Amino acid sequence: MGGNTFGEAFCVTTFGESHGGAVGAVIDGASPGVDVSVEDIQAQLDRRKPGRGGVSSTRREPDKVNILSGVFGGKTTGTPILLILYNKDADPGAYEEIRSLFRPGHADYSYRKKYGIRDWRGGGRSSGRETAARVAAGAVARRCLQQRGISVLAYTRAAAGIWCGHVKPEEIENNALRAPDADAAEKMAQKIHELQQRGDSAGGIVECRIHGVPPGLGEPVFDKLDARLAGAIFSIGAVKGVEFGAGFRSADMTGSEHNDRMGEGERFLSNNAGGILGGISTGADIVFRAAVKPTPSISSPQQTVDTDGQDATIRIRGRHDACICPRIVPVVEAMSCLVLEDHFKRHAALTA
Amino acid sequence: MGGNTFGEAFCVTTFGESHGGAVGAVIDGASPGVDVSVEDIQAQLDRRKPGRGGVSSTRREPDKVNILSGVFGGKTTGTPILLILYNKDADPGAYEEIRSLFRPGHADYSYRKKYGIRDWRGGGRSSGRETAARVAAGAVARRCLQQRGISVLAYTRAAAGIWCGHVKPEEIENNALRAPDADAAEKMAQKIHELQQRGDSAGGIVECRIHGVPPGLGEPVFDKLDARLAGAIFSIGAVKGVEFGAGFRSADMTGSEHNDRMGEGERFLSNNAGGILGGISTGADIVFRAAVKPTPSISSPQQTVDTDGQDATIRIRGRHDACICPRIVPVVEAMSCLVLEDHFKRHAALTA
Amino acid sequence: MGGNTFGEAFCVTTFGESHGGAVGAVIDGASPGVDVSVEDIQAQLDRRKPGRGGVSSTRREPDKVNILSGVFGGKTTGTPILLILYNKDADPGAYEEIRSLFRPGHADYSYRKKYGIRDWRGGGRSSGRETAARVAAGAVARRCLQQRGISVLAYTRAAAGIWCGHVKPEEIENNALRAPDADAAEKMAQKIHELQQRGDSAGGIVECRIHGVPPGLGEPVFDKLDARLAGAIFSIGAVKGVEFGAGFRSADMTGSEHNDRMGEGERFLSNNAGGILGGISTGADIVFRAAVKPTPSISSPQQTVDTDGQDATIRIRGRHDACICPRIVPVVEAMSCLVLEDHFKRHAALTA
Amino acid sequence: MGGNTFGEAFCVTTFGESHGGAVGAVIDGASPGVDVSVEDIQAQLDRRKPGRGGVSSTRREPDKVNILSGVFGGKTTGTPILLILYNKDADPGAYEEIRSLFRPGHADYSYRKKYGIRDWRGGGRSSGRETAARVAAGAVARRCLQQRGISVLAYTRAAAGIWCGHVKPEEIENNALRAPDADAAEKMAQKIHELQQRGDSAGGIVECRIHGVPPGLGEPVFDKLDARLAGAIFSIGAVKGVEFGAGFRSADMTGSEHNDRMGEGERFLSNNAGGILGGISTGADIVFRAAVKPTPSISSPQQTVDTDGQDATIRIRGRHDACICPRIVPVVEAMSCLVLEDHFKRHAALTA
């Protein structure tokens, strides 16, 4: 109930602050006998690392994952898996001068109000660094899902107001934006660079497509698969909206346009539903999009208040992504993997 | 883990099928000593009833709630509260002819695949009737929240492509659409009537505004307040998207536009965040919108398959809402109440 | 978290007070497609009924169970099952005169302190009547377990200081004590009758033997099978002790005496462990005993205090079991069934 | 649901194997602002260390705890607290020769059956070493409880068939048995030494007394305080029985003997209930006892089977406690602290 555990059958508990001793996760409920290696996990973590062109921050994190329990002889044992990343490059100095100011668009104010105390170094628990733990845990779930024939692919569908005209999966990892359209990616990068020069930042849309999910996953009425995915994606900082299939366009459609007809072979002839009906997967691809807000850490001066409630002006220095989308991509994939592996297990329990 | 319980501290378990013996809810964890009456709950249930003009279906449900436990002398006792509505107007005849056909846009196919068996009468568990249980439970949560000074207000912000130009709360209950703009409501009604005449239906946008929430609610990192609200709203059938504050518009904004500055008195000067930062309420109004898909039950013929996988054409008869938005409104409010009351209690536990 | 839900995969939520509208249970997570009938459940409920000779109280409860959801065409559908028993014979008059007195050995005082309010009629939520809901839910779990080849058998091993010399299952339902030794049963009945004549009551030992459980059930380290069973049995009012296998005798044994050696065919040559090692079933019979305190409702006068904290003398009238053991027997079986079915599903989730 | 998380509001997840990289715990839900230091935790861990006279094993574990998150400036922040102990003295060599044999009285067989794979080094996850994580987490809970005026005290009430005649708290830490009676302690030590010389071991009784708990803790009907404590204590390896207050003696008592009368000042005149009625604390001391089985690792040869199901004889070498009671004492205290702190928070949530 503390809010730091995700999942009911494949349970992940994360811990760690930006500038504390470590971040990481404990996975409880992973199937025994699954091949899991440091390399599998590291590969995903490396995708999350900053430093891709000018788009991302330049913090140097080795982000080397350690597996300290639950894996024996290269295989999961069914006992809790501890994944831990020690914080190395953790210089709180950059935060010293703003420790008594609430950064606009950040969680500083709300954390202070909730807990009465907060680790102000680098955002503490509310830092994006916490998502490294999710990516690590998600990599284990991904290994399990691969055995089930499921693939999860996210990418930057739009950024800084520029949309990808097409989705070519092979282009995603070839550009700093993780956009599936090389031309759009270039325009995005240029636009974001301009914004960054002006001390500003950009938002975007991350889209995710999940292939291979059999019909039947999701536990109505409250733990519907879309409800769980949405909750998972909204738990990522910076996400302000989530939509499935036709999403917000559905509001303007008619029933005859929106309903996905079925044809021979129990095939859906369209996918406005985004692969989920009544909260249960239909076998069609699961497709959703997340609206990502512009990075709140901008270098231009902003009006705010200090911890005494007095008016103040804040200038945020340091290492920050001008557009967070490309780094959100692996986190969206990770959270999707956690949800799916959890629901495979829940479905197995229901029908056992 | 069965998926029919919502909340961790204020826990609601719903039960019931459209044409079974009853629908209802058990509330576990309600504070003792709160005044709760059948009338309080009935008032909310009556708002959910069909039969408002031509917009909604004409099923006649008395929908009278019974409180069979947990309330003594008009006050909650802290023990489980059973709220039950017996199904009276439950004629499965209308469904007999389509029991072996999968209705497009419905959960028929996915339920069949998941459970291997399904109560085909009126959609069974996937029927909108299940939401009566949520509204009943939500009414109890609402009573608790009123004592905490919190109000929850939802309304149809758009329907059939027509948007409300303004939000006048006093107009909401005066029109069949539950729209806060009388003129827009009239245009919506007309447009929906036309669609219905053509055997079609309409979608829309339901907006919700929550006032009076103090800073500090929400449990990062997974049970952030927005993540929980989003999950709750996506658990309502027909919802295809959820967004907070600036929502999907955030994707096109810059950081300097999107960041809500703070001014004297720890006041936010704008509300692009929608009242939540870092997953924790800030004290500003919580504002979110849900995209509601057009009613899938339309009378015009549709291509589908039958339970043997053979091509077929389906014509859906019977009582159906041409636009579900006005009936979703009290459900959105109910789910919001459940989330908030739950998080008040969770915050109390954390800081106890 | 409210405390009225048991189980994680086969989840049972009970509701109801002794003299409220109804008692019952919602089961969430039952496998779809299992044959369940009112008769199955009623048969177990009838075993719990009072009125067996002089041993039990003479309250007349029809205790007819109703299945109002989750079962369609005689089979479970995988959706929540509502089991409800309406309270008919609920005359609170007998309690009127003691409503402001705390009955010794009862929960009156602790409920008042916890909730600030309590339904004083017949013990309210703390009444033994609540266990009817457990027996009903347990009957559904029992049906599922029968399909898995598991049998659960409890009986009164001792009462009023008299022990059964042997365990003949066929004798259990032939005597009012549910003792597996006819001679002992007769002596127990006589002793209890004498105590009752003196306005007093008796305790005893209920033993339970579970046959057919395969190796592998139980989820270390906290949800070990014995830990879960013990928690379940201690949740039954009147239970003051639980022990597995050699139990408290283990304290005086040596390792060479206590260790169960294994022989050919992976067979255990003794069963001091009671069928569980490291919290996981071994395949041997699971055997445990529960110490049941003497019925606190005795007719002889007792010293107590009233709700104002003043000294008082209480005389309890009305219908009460002089020894609760025979009525605890089906409750112990029911709770055991809930634990086992839950753990079958949890194991299925883990290894899915 | 994986079984490695304990508590609902004060949630502890443990991880780690005997000879893996580390053991430890994540605490989620600890109140913010509580003073917690490495020293507080280390003091409890040191009590759990082996090497007290001849009674305990001589494994040399530095067992130094590290706090890697959730504490800032010496105070809890309300975010997850990672407590970790790296495994240093982890020589699996001693286990190499018995890796294919199931040790009698151990979890080797049941783990193998459950998971299909097991870390055989030192018992892996089923090792007593896992309890170090519980003691560490319990030390944090203890700090919280101290602020609430609660003290938790456990001790060896009996061992090797010898009972303490009195309970003098000041003597507990002065002898290797942690017995509250110096004379009894000496006899126990002598008897255990004799057993050890013969390649055998001894069991015992650990008693726990909790003082200062206000009336009102515990969540009926399933999460009664005694049910939760019993489940917690049974989750400790080697525990075969748990009883509260008069415990198993209750079975032979009459109601007039067993009922605790109340007198002026709402005081209980006896404590057969063990401080809990109806599953809720009464304000009287909570008293319970746990039956601890004799250490299964004995050096005399034992009949068993190997992993191929063939008959075999096993001789267990290495470092083992001849009587586990004194090392169980801090674990019983730790688990009690976890339960109590959890229930304080749960009660706060209920009544918030």
Side-chain angles (χ1 to χ4, degrees):
Chain A
M1 210 187 66
N4 294 285
T5 296
F6 188 84
E8 305 217 5
F10 187 92
C11 303
V12 174
T13 303
T14 71
F15 57 84
E17 280 81 34
S18 174
H19 288 64
V23 299
V26 181
I27 303 172
D28 191 15
S31 303
V34 179
D35 295 313
V36 169
S37 69
V38 163
E39 290 69 31
D40 291 331
I41 302 170
Q42 196 63 50
Q44 293 302 322
L45 282 169
D46 289 347
R47 293 179 64 212
R48 193 197 142 274
K49 275 204 299 193
R52 296 168 62 98
V55 178
S56 298
S57 89
T58 54
R59 173 169 173 173
R60 296 280 168 264
E61 297 166 327
D63 261 0
K64 289 296 171 199
V65 71
N66 301 274
I67 306 176
L68 295 191
S69 69
V71 175
F72 181 60
K75 286 185 188 298
T76 57
T77 58
T79 60
I81 302 169
L82 175 67
L83 307 174
I84 191 165
L85 295 87
Y86 299 102
N87 289 332
K88 294 281 171 53
D89 181 18
D91 168 23
Y95 296 91
E96 187 76 44
E97 62 178 310
I98 57 169
R99 59 186 283 192
S100 63
L101 298 177
F102 298 126
R103 292 170 298 166
H106 275 281
D108 300 349
Y109 178 72
S110 53
Y111 264 67
R112 172 66 173 260
K113 285 292 169 179
K114 179 174 189 67
Y115 301 105
I117 180 178
R118 81 184 172 91
D119 181 347
W120 48 265
R121 301 167 305 171
R125 181 69 178 150
S126 72
S127 164
R129 178 146 179 79
E130 178 268 333
T131 61
R134 304 183 185 206
V135 170
V140 175
R142 187 188 293 259
R143 289 289 298 136
C144 302
L145 291 170
Q146 282 168 342
Q147 299 191 358
R148 306 185 193 278
I150 292 175
S151 63
V152 175
L153 184 73
Y155 41 84
T156 300
R157 187 66 206 249
I162 295 153
W163 279 75
C164 293
H166 56 250
V167 175
K168 294 194 178 159
E170 65 275 17
E171 296 189 0
I172 295 170
E173 295 292 327
N174 288 336
N175 62 76
L177 266 303
R178 288 209 167 85
D181 173 339
D183 290 345
E186 207 176 307
K187 288 179 196 146
M188 290 169 182
Q190 200 171 337
K191 183 76 180 294
I192 291 165
H193 183 71
E194 288 168 26
L195 286 165
Q196 196 170 23
Q197 294 297 315
R198 299 206 305 263
D200 216 334
S201 63
I205 303 277
V206 170
E207 188 169 84
C208 186
R209 183 171 290 269
I210 306 169
H211 183 71
V213 178
L217 297 197
E219 301 297 326
V221 296
F222 294 116
D223 292 348
K224 291 176 170 175
L225 192 56
D226 40 359
R228 293 287 294 169
L229 281 165
I233 301 306
F234 265 111
S235 79
I236 305 170
V239 171
K240 299 306 291 178
V242 171
E243 61 176 15
F244 286 80
F248 272 86
R249 282 192 302 115
S250 307
D252 293 342
M253 295 169 80
T254 67
S256 61
E257 290 164 355
H258 192 276
N259 283 349
D260 299 314
R261 271 67 165 185
M262 296 186 77
E264 227 179 336
E266 299 190 348
R267 204 164 40 82
F268 287 91
L269 306 180
S270 57
N271 194 8
N272 289 315
I276 299 172
L277 279 172
I280 299 171
S281 61
T282 64
D285 279 6
I286 294 172
V287 182
F288 66 84
R289 279 167 298 281
V292 177
K293 75 175 183 182
T295 312
S297 289
I298 54 176
S299 59
S300 58
Q302 299 176 85
Q303 180 183 354
T304 189
V305 298
D306 63 19
T307 51
D308 295 327
Q310 299 303 309
D311 278 358
T313 297
I314 190 168
R315 284 161 205 273
I316 298 171
R317 295 181 227 280
R319 311 157 300 191
H320 304 289
D321 303 299
C323 176
I324 204 80
C325 286
R327 295 187 71 191
I328 292 262
V329 161
V331 185
V332 164
E333 289 182 7
M335 292 308 299
S336 300
C337 289
L338 296 186
V339 171
L340 288 168
E341 182 62 11
D342 189 44
H343 276 276
F344 257 104
K345 287 174 170 285
R346 293 177 70 170
H347 184 68
L350 179 73
T351 56
Chain B
M1 208 186 70
N4 294 284
T5 296
F6 187 84
E8 306 217 6
F10 187 92
C11 303
V12 175
T13 302
T14 71
F15 56 84
E17 280 82 34
S18 174
H19 288 65
V23 297
V26 181
I27 302 171
D28 191 15
S31 303
V34 179
D35 294 313
V36 169
S37 70
V38 163
E39 289 68 33
D40 291 331
I41 302 170
Q42 196 63 49
Q44 293 302 322
L45 283 168
D46 290 347
R47 293 179 65 212
R48 192 197 142 274
K49 274 204 299 192
R52 295 168 63 101
V55 178
S56 298
S57 89
T58 55
R59 174 169 174 174
R60 294 281 167 265
E61 296 167 325
D63 262 0
K64 289 296 173 201
V65 71
N66 299 273
I67 305 175
L68 295 191
S69 70
V71 175
F72 180 60
K75 286 185 188 297
T76 56
T77 59
T79 61
I81 302 169
L82 175 67
L83 306 175
I84 191 165
L85 295 87
Y86 298 102
N87 288 332
K88 292 282 167 56
D89 180 18
D91 167 24
Y95 296 91
E96 187 75 45
E97 63 177 308
I98 56 169
R99 60 186 282 192
S100 63
L101 298 176
F102 297 126
R103 292 171 298 167
H106 276 281
D108 300 351
Y109 177 73
S110 54
Y111 264 67
R112 172 66 171 259
K113 286 290 168 180
K114 180 173 189 66
Y115 300 106
I117 179 178
R118 82 186 171 92
D119 182 347
W120 47 265
R121 302 167 304 171
R125 181 70 178 150
S126 71
S127 165
R129 179 148 178 76
E130 178 268 332
T131 60
R134 304 183 185 205
V135 171
V140 175
R142 187 188 293 261
R143 287 289 297 133
C144 302
L145 291 170
Q146 282 169 341
Q147 299 192 356
R148 305 186 194 277
I150 292 174
S151 63
V152 175
L153 184 74
Y155 40 83
T156 301
R157 186 68 205 249
I162 296 152
W163 279 75
C164 293
H166 57 251
V167 174
K168 294 194 178 160
E170 64 276 17
E171 296 187 0
I172 295 170
E173 295 292 327
N174 288 337
N175 63 76
L177 266 303
R178 286 209 168 86
D181 172 339
D183 290 344
E186 206 176 307
K187 286 179 197 148
M188 289 171 183
Q190 198 172 336
K191 183 77 181 294
I192 291 166
H193 184 70
E194 288 169 25
L195 286 166
Q196 196 170 25
Q197 293 299 314
R198 300 204 305 262
D200 215 334
S201 63
I205 304 278
V206 170
E207 189 170 84
C208 186
R209 184 171 289 269
I210 305 169
H211 184 71
V213 178
L217 297 196
E219 300 298 325
V221 294
F222 295 116
D223 293 348
K224 291 175 171 175
L225 192 57
D226 40 359
R228 294 287 294 167
L229 280 166
I233 301 306
F234 265 112
S235 79
I236 305 171
V239 170
K240 300 305 292 179
V242 170
E243 61 176 14
F244 285 79
F248 271 87
R249 281 192 304 115
S250 308
D252 293 342
M253 294 168 80
T254 67
S256 61
E257 290 163 354
H258 192 276
N259 283 350
D260 300 313
R261 270 66 165 185
M262 296 187 77
E264 225 178 339
E266 299 190 350
R267 206 164 39 83
F268 287 91
L269 307 179
S270 57
N271 195 7
N272 288 314
I276 299 172
L277 279 172
I280 299 170
S281 61
T282 63
D285 279 6
I286 294 172
V287 182
F288 65 85
R289 280 167 298 281
V292 178
K293 75 176 183 181
T295 312
S297 290
I298 55 176
S299 60
S300 59
Q302 298 176 87
Q303 180 182 352
T304 189
V305 298
D306 64 18
T307 51
D308 295 327
Q310 300 302 308
D311 277 358
T313 296
I314 190 168
R315 283 161 205 274
I316 297 170
R317 293 181 230 281
R319 311 158 299 191
H320 304 288
D321 302 299
C323 176
I324 203 79
C325 286
R327 295 188 71 192
I328 293 263
V329 161
V331 184
V332 164
E333 290 182 7
M335 292 308 300
S336 301
C337 289
L338 296 185
V339 171
L340 289 169
E341 181 62 11
D342 189 44
H343 276 277
F344 257 105
K345 287 173 171 286
R346 292 177 70 172
H347 183 68
L350 178 73
T351 55
Chain C
M1 209 186 67
N4 294 283
T5 296
F6 187 85
E8 304 217 7
F10 187 93
C11 304
V12 174
T13 303
T14 71
F15 56 84
E17 279 81 34
S18 175
H19 289 65
V23 298
V26 181
I27 303 171
D28 192 15
S31 303
V34 178
D35 294 314
V36 168
S37 69
V38 163
E39 289 70 31
D40 291 333
I41 302 170
Q42 195 63 49
Q44 293 302 321
L45 283 168
D46 289 348
R47 293 178 65 212
R48 193 197 141 275
K49 274 203 300 193
R52 296 167 62 100
V55 178
S56 299
S57 89
T58 55
R59 173 169 173 172
R60 295 282 168 264
E61 296 167 327
D63 261 0
K64 289 296 171 199
V65 71
N66 301 274
I67 306 176
L68 295 191
S69 70
V71 176
F72 180 59
K75 285 184 188 299
T76 57
T77 59
T79 60
I81 302 170
L82 175 67
L83 307 175
I84 191 166
L85 295 88
Y86 298 103
N87 289 333
K88 293 281 168 55
D89 180 17
D91 168 23
Y95 296 91
E96 187 76 45
E97 63 177 308
I98 56 169
R99 58 185 284 190
S100 62
L101 298 177
F102 298 126
R103 292 171 298 167
H106 275 281
D108 299 351
Y109 178 73
S110 53
Y111 264 67
R112 171 66 172 260
K113 286 291 168 181
K114 180 174 188 65
Y115 301 107
I117 180 178
R118 80 184 173 95
D119 181 348
W120 47 266
R121 302 167 304 171
R125 181 69 179 151
S126 72
S127 165
R129 178 148 178 77
E130 178 268 332
T131 62
R134 303 183 185 206
V135 171
V140 175
R142 187 189 291 260
R143 289 288 297 133
C144 302
L145 291 170
Q146 282 169 341
Q147 298 192 358
R148 306 186 193 277
I150 292 175
S151 63
V152 175
L153 184 73
Y155 40 83
T156 300
R157 187 67 207 247
I162 296 152
W163 279 75
C164 293
H166 56 249
V167 174
K168 294 194 178 162
E170 64 276 16
E171 296 188 1
I172 296 169
E173 294 293 325
N174 288 338
N175 62 76
L177 265 304
R178 288 209 167 85
D181 173 338
D183 290 345
E186 208 176 306
K187 287 179 198 147
M188 289 171 182
Q190 200 171 334
K191 183 77 180 296
I192 291 166
H193 184 71
E194 288 168 26
L195 286 165
Q196 195 170 25
Q197 293 298 314
R198 300 206 304 263
D200 215 334
S201 63
I205 303 278
V206 171
E207 187 170 85
C208 185
R209 183 171 289 271
I210 305 170
H211 184 70
V213 178
L217 297 197
E219 301 297 326
V221 294
F222 295 116
D223 293 348
K224 292 175 169 175
L225 192 57
D226 39 359
R228 293 287 294 167
L229 280 165
I233 301 307
F234 265 112
S235 80
I236 304 170
V239 171
K240 299 306 291 178
V242 171
E243 61 175 13
F244 286 79
F248 271 86
R249 281 193 302 115
S250 308
D252 293 342
M253 295 170 78
T254 67
S256 60
E257 289 164 355
H258 192 277
N259 283 349
D260 300 313
R261 271 67 165 186
M262 296 186 77
E264 226 179 336
E266 298 189 351
R267 205 164 39 83
F268 287 91
L269 306 180
S270 57
N271 195 9
N272 288 316
I276 298 172
L277 279 172
I280 299 171
S281 60
T282 63
D285 279 6
I286 294 172
V287 182
F288 66 84
R289 279 167 299 282
V292 177
K293 74 175 183 182
T295 312
S297 289
I298 54 177
S299 59
S300 58
Q302 298 175 86
Q303 179 182 354
T304 189
V305 298
D306 64 18
T307 50
D308 295 327
Q310 299 303 310
D311 277 358
T313 297
I314 191 168
R315 285 161 204 273
I316 297 170
R317 294 180 228 280
R319 311 157 300 191
H320 303 289
D321 303 300
C323 175
I324 204 80
C325 286
R327 295 187 72 192
I328 292 262
V329 161
V331 184
V332 163
E333 290 182 9
M335 291 308 298
S336 299
C337 289
L338 296 186
V339 170
L340 288 169
E341 181 62 11
D342 189 44
H343 276 276
F344 257 105
K345 288 174 170 285
R346 293 177 69 170
H347 184 68
L350 179 73
T351 56
Chain D
M1 209 188 67
N4 294 285
T5 296
F6 188 84
E8 305 217 6
F10 187 92
C11 303
V12 174
T13 302
T14 71
F15 56 84
E17 280 81 35
S18 174
H19 288 64
V23 298
V26 182
I27 303 172
D28 191 15
S31 303
V34 178
D35 294 314
V36 169
S37 68
V38 163
E39 289 69 32
D40 291 331
I41 302 171
Q42 196 63 49
Q44 293 302 321
L45 283 168
D46 289 347
R47 293 180 65 212
R48 192 197 142 273
K49 274 203 301 192
R52 293 168 64 98
V55 179
S56 298
S57 89
T58 55
R59 172 168 175 173
R60 294 282 168 263
E61 296 167 325
D63 262 359
K64 288 297 172 201
V65 70
N66 301 274
I67 306 175
L68 295 191
S69 69
V71 175
F72 180 60
K75 286 184 187 299
T76 57
T77 60
T79 61
I81 302 169
L82 175 68
L83 306 175
I84 192 165
L85 295 87
Y86 299 101
N87 289 332
K88 292 280 167 56
D89 180 18
D91 167 24
Y95 297 92
E96 187 76 46
E97 62 179 309
I98 57 169
R99 61 186 281 192
S100 63
L101 298 176
F102 298 125
R103 292 171 297 166
H106 275 282
D108 300 350
Y109 177 73
S110 53
Y111 264 66
R112 172 65 172 260
K113 287 291 168 180
K114 180 174 190 66
Y115 300 106
I117 179 178
R118 81 184 171 93
D119 181 347
W120 48 264
R121 302 167 303 172
R125 181 70 178 149
S126 71
S127 164
R129 178 146 178 77
E130 178 268 333
T131 61
R134 304 183 184 207
V135 171
V140 176
R142 187 188 292 259
R143 288 289 298 134
C144 301
L145 291 169
Q146 282 169 340
Q147 300 192 355
R148 305 185 192 280
I150 292 175
S151 63
V152 175
L153 183 74
Y155 40 83
T156 300
R157 186 67 204 250
I162 296 153
W163 279 75
C164 294
H166 56 250
V167 175
K168 294 195 178 159
E170 65 275 18
E171 297 188 359
I172 296 170
E173 295 292 327
N174 288 337
N175 63 77
L177 265 303
R178 287 209 167 85
D181 172 339
D183 290 344
E186 205 176 309
K187 287 180 195 146
M188 290 171 182
Q190 197 171 336
K191 183 77 181 294
I192 291 167
H193 184 69
E194 288 168 27
L195 286 165
Q196 197 171 25
Q197 294 299 314
R198 299 206 305 263
D200 216 336
S201 63
I205 304 277
V206 170
E207 188 170 83
C208 186
R209 184 171 289 270
I210 306 169
H211 183 71
V213 178
L217 297 197
E219 300 298 325
V221 293
F222 294 117
D223 293 349
K224 291 175 171 175
L225 192 57
D226 39 0
R228 294 287 294 166
L229 280 166
I233 301 307
F234 265 112
S235 79
I236 304 170
V239 171
K240 300 305 292 179
V242 171
E243 61 177 13
F244 285 81
F248 272 86
R249 281 193 303 116
S250 307
D252 293 342
M253 294 169 81
T254 67
S256 61
E257 290 164 353
H258 192 276
N259 283 349
D260 299 315
R261 270 66 165 185
M262 295 187 77
E264 227 177 338
E266 299 189 349
R267 205 164 38 84
F268 287 91
L269 306 180
S270 56
N271 194 8
N272 289 314
I276 299 172
L277 279 172
I280 299 170
S281 61
T282 64
D285 279 6
I286 295 173
V287 182
F288 66 85
R289 279 167 298 281
V292 178
K293 73 175 184 182
T295 311
S297 289
I298 54 176
S299 59
S300 58
Q302 298 176 86
Q303 180 182 353
T304 188
V305 298
D306 64 18
T307 51
D308 295 326
Q310 300 302 309
D311 278 357
T313 296
I314 191 168
R315 284 162 206 272
I316 297 171
R317 294 181 229 280
R319 311 157 299 191
H320 305 288
D321 302 299
C323 175
I324 204 80
C325 286
R327 294 188 72 193
I328 293 263
V329 161
V331 185
V332 164
E333 289 183 6
M335 292 308 299
S336 300
C337 289
L338 295 186
V339 171
L340 288 169
E341 181 62 11
D342 189 45
H343 276 277
F344 257 104
K345 287 172 171 286
R346 292 178 70 171
H347 183 69
L350 178 73
T351 55

